[in-house]
Amino acid sequence: MITILGKNSQLAQCLIKKIKCPINILSSNEIDFRDYNNIEVVLSKFSNKIIINCFAFNDVEDAESNQDAYKINHIGLEKVAKFCAKNNIVLIHISTDFIFDGNKGHYIETDPANPINHYGKSKALGELSIQKYCRKYIILRTSWLYSHLETKNNFLFKIKTLALEDKKDLFGAEDIVGSPTSSLSLADGIYKLLESIDTYDFSLKLFHFSDLGSVSRFTFLEEIVKKLNLKFNLSNSVHPTQNSYFNLIAPRPYNTSLNSSLFSETFNFRSQDWKKALNKTIELL
Ligand SMILES: NC(=O)c1ccc[n+]([C@@H]2O[C@H](COP(=O)([O-])OP(=O)(O)OC[C@H]3O[C@@H](n4cnc5c(N)ncnc54)[C@H](OP(=O)(O)O)[C@@H]3O)[C@@H](O)[C@H]2O)c1
């Protein structure tokens, strides 16, 4: 049996459309990761072989002052990791490009983590807990995750909401670079991984996963708005700016683009170009 945690996340919603075998899928109503004592109690109700963790405290700005980021992304996750270790369950966990400082770009799995904001720090600590306690795990670090769904931490949905007001001036930072990743692509990747999990030897347990390409926020925004304007017959404009324009609380890493070759080679997965992946997602809007 597979259990998916983080029911209403954009990733889990894409994943459940793909997985054909029986699954349990739990939301924060059923399992709250701040309620440490209850985590094992809830998970023990199911005979799990694999747990896929899509939950996270994902609000980068709020994480600068809200201790829930550490409670959920580190301590709550550590409880899940210990439960998996004790019960010989495979843990598949999603982490983030924000564990890097952004000074390098095109990051590979052996590059050292050096987060510069609290969201990144909490996620990096979560990775360490899994590595400390679990034997059979896969950590997939992804970046700039978006989908066709109406979810909070979803750049495409945010831009669609603004764009539908029409004739808007939208601004994108030229000095923030990363690898956009469609939740549909990541769900495809996890599905491919699940197909080989029974025979996998876990010699490699940490992977990067993004769609192919490395672009600025401005370029990503420009492409999104071009397609939304066409699809919905709108006339929004896009302008380049700098990250400082947005007056954000949390420092943002400059270039966190990921190199995902190791995942593709290990699991024989064909990655998609980011523009193609974006097209497919926009078709679903
Ligand atoms: N969004 C991005 O740009 C991005 C980038 C890189 C990496 N990631 C990583 O990718 C993974 C999936 O992200 P996503 O964007 O799909 O997530 P999302 O849509 O923001 O959803 C977050 C999920 O976390 C759950 N959650 C929040 N607080 C919780 C708590 N106290 N106890 C239990 N569950 C709680 C929510 O519960 P409910 O199901 O009850 O709503 C929700 O399912 C995360 O690990 C994230 O760190 C995301």
Side-chain angles (χ1 to χ4, degrees):
M1 181 72 93
I2 297 176
T3 292
I4 300 179
L5 308 175
K7 181 176 182 177
N8 300 309
S9 64
Q10 46 179 344
L11 176 58
Q13 288 302 312
C14 292
L15 200 50
I16 53 177
K17 298 243 157 39
K18 287 212 68 89
I19 298 178
K20 311 271 181 319
C21 64
I23 49 171
N24 308 307
I25 172 151
L26 305 177
S27 76
S28 54
N29 292 331
E30 288 129 318
I31 184 164
D32 185 328
F33 286 88
R34 294 163 300 184
D35 187 1
Y36 305 143
N37 296 330
N38 205 32
I39 291 175
E40 182 161 352
V41 176
V42 177
L43 293 178
S44 299
K45 290 181 191 161
F46 310 102
S47 64
N48 296 302
K49 206 172 97 180
I50 298 169
I51 291 180
I52 305 175
N53 172 33
C54 304
F55 77 76
F57 183 103
N58 251 353
D59 186 325
V60 178
E61 288 292 277
D62 196 19
E64 289 301 294
S65 55
N66 190 339
Q67 282 303 309
D68 278 359
Y70 288 95
K71 287 185 186 163
I72 294 168
N73 295 340
H74 178 212
I75 309 296
L77 176 62
E78 186 165 294
K79 303 284 177 200
V80 178
K82 284 181 177 170
F83 177 81
C84 288
K86 198 165 103 185
N87 296 285
N88 198 29
I89 295 166
V90 174
L91 176 59
I92 298 175
H93 171 70
I94 314 303
S95 191
T96 171
D97 55 332
F98 271 34
I99 60 106
F100 293 118
D101 60 22
N103 294 333
K104 173 180 172 280
H106 302 285
Y107 284 100
I108 58 171
E109 288 77 357
T110 48
D111 285 325
N114 186 27
I116 62 168
N117 57 39
H118 285 290
Y119 167 69
K121 283 176 192 166
S122 65
K123 292 287 283 187
L125 288 168
E127 285 189 8
L128 288 175
S129 290
I130 294 176
Q131 287 161 338
K132 181 171 172 191
Y133 293 107
C134 293
R135 200 172 56 81
K136 285 191 194 169
Y137 67 86
I138 302 282
I139 296 173
L140 296 175
R141 289 182 185 143
T142 193
S143 55
W144 295 21
L145 197 62
Y146 66 88
S147 69
H148 56 291
L149 300 164
E150 299 191 1
T151 56
K152 195 171 152 234
N153 299 299
N154 174 359
F155 188 64
L156 177 59
F157 173 60
K158 280 183 200 160
I159 299 306
K160 183 189 148 197
T161 309
L162 290 171
L164 287 179
E165 292 170 21
D166 204 11
K167 298 189 176 57
K168 280 263 211 207
D169 284 308
L170 298 164
F171 294 84
E174 280 186 312
D175 57 347
I176 296 290
V177 175
S179 304
T181 307
S182 152
S183 298
L184 298 167
S185 304
L186 182 51
D188 283 346
I190 295 173
Y191 186 72
K192 187 83 179 162
L193 164 63
L194 290 173
E195 281 181 335
S196 55
I197 205 87
D198 285 340
T199 52
Y200 189 60
D201 64 3
F202 292 91
S203 50
L204 297 168
K205 306 183 218 197
L206 174 63
F207 297 94
H208 290 175
F209 187 102
S210 68
D211 287 322
L212 289 175
S214 155
V215 294
S216 71
R217 271 278 166 190
F218 169 69
T219 305
F220 187 35
L221 175 73
E222 197 178 33
E223 193 64 24
I224 291 173
V225 172
K226 192 171 87 187
K227 294 195 160 84
L228 292 177
N229 279 348
L230 259 177
K231 186 173 172 98
F232 298 108
N233 196 21
L234 304 167
S235 50
N236 298 291
S237 315
V238 182
H239 309 278
T241 186
Q242 301 297 298
N243 186 46
S244 53
Y245 167 84
F246 298 101
N247 282 323
L248 299 169
I249 304 164
R252 297 300 201 272
Y254 160 58
N255 181 347
T256 55
S257 54
L258 300 175
N259 178 329
S260 306
S261 312
L262 187 64
F263 183 88
S264 299
E265 286 155 19
T266 308
F267 297 106
N268 193 21
F269 181 79
R270 270 184 68 184
S271 301
Q272 277 192 99
D273 175 75
W274 72 272
K275 275 193 193 177
K276 270 194 190 156
L278 179 62
N279 265 335
K280 284 189 191 166
T281 302
I282 287 192
E283 276 170 20
L284 299 175
L285 289 176

